[in-house]
Amino acid sequence: MENKNIRRAVASDEPITLDIRYKSWLKAYNHIFTEDEIHNHFQVKTNNEEYRKTSRERIEQNPNYYVYSVD
């Protein structure tokens, strides 16, 4: 049986939250940006360690940042 819950996000959730944002942009903004533009935008973010560090800090500092997890 799968264990499902909503919990407060932690810094180690940052990679998956970035992936979720990427996939969301592909659906939500495909009428504004091409798939390549969205991919390139997120590739820059993925490869930018300073951006990733800031993202982890935002997750840790925001008391309202939650994730839904399965197992």
Side-chain angles (χ1 to χ4, degrees):
M1 181 179 220
E2 292 180 331
N3 183 20
K4 302 173 187 175
N5 69 20
I6 297 172
R7 63 174 172 74
R8 190 155 170 330
V10 295
S12 62
D13 293 319
E14 188 271 337
I16 194 66
T17 63
L18 183 59
D19 186 57
I20 290 168
R21 284 182 283 157
Y22 166 68
K23 290 174 181 173
S24 298
W25 272 56
L26 288 172
K27 295 291 184 186
Y29 300 115
N30 63 357
H31 64 290
I32 301 171
F33 303 108
T34 67
E35 186 174 329
D36 283 343
E37 288 172 320
I38 294 170
H39 178 74
N40 291 337
H41 174 75
F42 279 90
Q43 192 65 41
V44 168
K45 291 182 177 307
T46 299
N47 294 330
N48 182 330
E49 188 51 44
E50 189 60 35
Y51 174 83
R52 304 292 297 276
K53 179 181 176 225
T54 301
S55 292
R56 289 187 299 270
E57 289 170 355
R58 268 189 262 133
I59 289 170
E60 290 290 325
Q61 294 170 1
N62 185 342
N64 300 311
Y65 205 129
Y66 289 86
V67 294
Y68 176 80
S69 63
V70 178
D71 290 330

